[in-house]
Amino acid sequence: MVLTDDRHPPQQEAPFDLRAYLAEGKARVEDALDRCLPITYPERIYESMRYSLLAGGKRLRPILCLATCELAGGTWEMAMPTACALEMLHTMSLIHDDLPAMDNDDYRRGKPTNHKVYGEDIAILAGDGLLAYAFEIVADTTRNVEPQNILRAIARLGRTVGAAGLVGGQVVDLESEGKSDVTLETLNFIHTHKTSALLEASVECGAILAGAEAADLDRLSRYARHIGLAFQIIDDILDITASKEVLGKTAGKDVAAGKVTFPSLLGLDESRRRAKELVESAKAEVSAFGSAALPLVAIADYITSRNY
Ligand code: GRG
């Protein structure tokens, strides 16, 4: 069944309480993450994995996955293992990104980075442990979902973190370091692969698990691509305008490293304008879902209004 219905004009919407929605999503995801990764022998690696996984963060990726599963006719329970997997993959990428061989950062989610606490060797392994566990948890604990849809979600996650996604984006980012002639096209490649890819997978996996039709999935993919790029543009802006205390990570790193970013290429005002334009395009994509898309519409707006 295609979920959109263009025959009816949009109804007057009831106000949607995004703050309560995000708080509930975050609490449910954090409870599931806490329960799925108990400390066992060898304790140090589990402690290191839990240190970063349970360090906070907005939990935007898992919440998007829960939201699209519900939009497509499923439940939060059906999507919770995949939501946890997305947060594990995201956390893994942050741990590895912060390593001295990559971005070399000391501070993340308001705390010292994983390698600062556990050492580089354990931090690498904590990332690896989270990467592997993400796939195990989806395959092992997903309930009330068609097996072929679980397989599709697993494949979607694999494509997202590999060379076609996060790894590829990170490689081009590393290659671009210290270069002043990085083009907007290259910057778009980096951002769509490093950042948008996981947000896109979050949106798509929820809908895949609920068995969404191809046309609905396409619409959701386009929504995700727009919010993913907007998210990274705002990230670039916040690196310049926000403080370390608010961000929970080192501020001003891009400028200090001479990194080419959206604000460095286009200026702050034009970058903000582009992010807003992308958010409007994202909202337009999901408007045909009517009130079922209220969480996605509100999350799109939140992306440009967030301050961390
Ligand atoms: C090892 C398979 C493998 C992949 C890793 C290191 C790497 C390849 C990719 C780097 C990806 C990366 C760190 C992108 C930055 C994405 C980003 C904007 C992170 C900040 O996300 P928020 O603001 O953070 O949602 P919180 O803390 O709120 O979750």
Side-chain angles (χ1 to χ4, degrees):
M1 183 186 67
V2 173
L3 297 161
T4 53
D5 184 355
D6 297 328
R7 289 169 303 171
H8 301 296
Q11 304 290 306
Q12 187 72 34
E13 308 290 12
F16 177 77
D17 188 347
L18 180 69
R19 188 192 287 258
Y21 187 85
L22 292 179
E24 191 191 347
K26 187 171 152 77
R28 296 263 298 270
V29 167
E30 289 184 346
D31 179 55
L33 289 172
D34 187 19
R35 281 186 291 110
C36 77
L37 194 62
I39 295 179
T40 178
Y41 181 79
E43 286 84 2
R44 193 163 168 77
I45 188 65
Y46 288 97
E47 281 166 12
S48 165
M49 288 158 77
R50 285 178 61 90
Y51 173 79
S52 294
L53 191 62
L54 301 176
K58 295 178 279 299
R59 313 303 193 190
L60 196 57
R61 293 150 191 85
I63 291 171
L64 279 167
C65 176
L66 301 177
T68 54
C69 187
E70 192 170 29
L71 179 149
T75 63
W76 280 22
E77 285 69 29
M78 287 163 67
M80 193 55 85
T82 304
C84 289
L86 285 156
E87 192 61 30
M88 287 176 197
L89 295 172
H90 173 52
T91 304
M92 168 279 294
S93 77
L94 299 179
I95 296 172
H96 282 189
D97 192 53
D98 290 334
L99 286 167
M102 305 259 180
D103 256 16
N104 193 17
D105 222 316
D106 293 350
Y107 196 61
R108 172 74 72 176
R109 289 177 162 171
K111 295 165 76 173
T113 42
N114 198 294
H115 65 271
K116 282 277 152 191
V117 177
Y118 293 95
E120 274 182 63
D121 45 7
I122 292 293
I124 292 168
L125 292 167
D128 295 344
L130 288 169
L131 175 61
Y133 195 43
F135 292 95
E136 181 185 339
I137 195 178
V138 178
D140 230 21
T141 68
T142 304
R143 300 283 177 268
N144 303 317
V145 174
E146 295 287 339
Q148 73 267 24
N149 290 336
I150 303 178
L151 275 179
R152 283 173 67 203
I154 291 172
R156 185 70 185 80
L157 293 176
R159 178 152 57 88
T160 300
V161 289
L166 268 67
V167 167
Q170 182 76 347
V171 168
V172 179
D173 194 13
L174 292 172
E175 285 173 353
S176 304
E177 238 167 60
K179 287 187 186 162
S180 56
D181 57 350
V182 176
T183 61
L184 196 54
E185 194 188 356
T186 303
L187 191 61
N188 267 317
F189 181 93
I190 294 169
H191 287 349
T192 50
H193 289 73
K194 263 189 77 168
T195 305
S196 293
L198 199 53
L199 291 161
E200 277 176 57
S202 306
V203 166
E204 283 184 34
C205 281
I208 287 170
L209 292 165
E213 295 270 337
D216 292 331
L217 210 48
D218 285 349
R219 200 178 275 282
L220 289 168
S221 290
R222 290 192 295 273
Y223 161 88
R225 226 165 297 140
H226 293 318
I227 62 160
L229 193 52
F231 187 88
Q232 184 58 55
I233 295 177
I234 297 298
D235 215 67
D236 286 355
I237 293 173
L238 289 174
D239 184 70
I240 297 170
T241 59
S243 67
K244 174 185 170 188
E245 288 67 33
V246 173
L247 284 180
K249 61 182 178 182
T250 315
K253 272 214 83 173
D254 296 339
V255 175
K259 254 192 175 180
V260 171
T261 61
F262 271 91
S264 78
L265 282 182
L266 305 172
L268 279 173
D269 287 346
E270 176 60 15
S271 300
R272 277 196 198 98
R273 195 195 64 73
R274 289 216 184 181
K276 283 205 173 110
E277 195 176 83
L278 285 161
V279 162
E280 289 312 313
S281 305
K283 284 161 46 177
E285 285 295 346
V286 293
S287 64
F289 293 118
S291 60
L294 282 176
L296 295 189
V297 169
I299 289 171
D301 278 328
Y302 163 73
I303 285 185
T304 42
S305 65
R306 74 193 173 101
N307 61 357
Y308 78 103

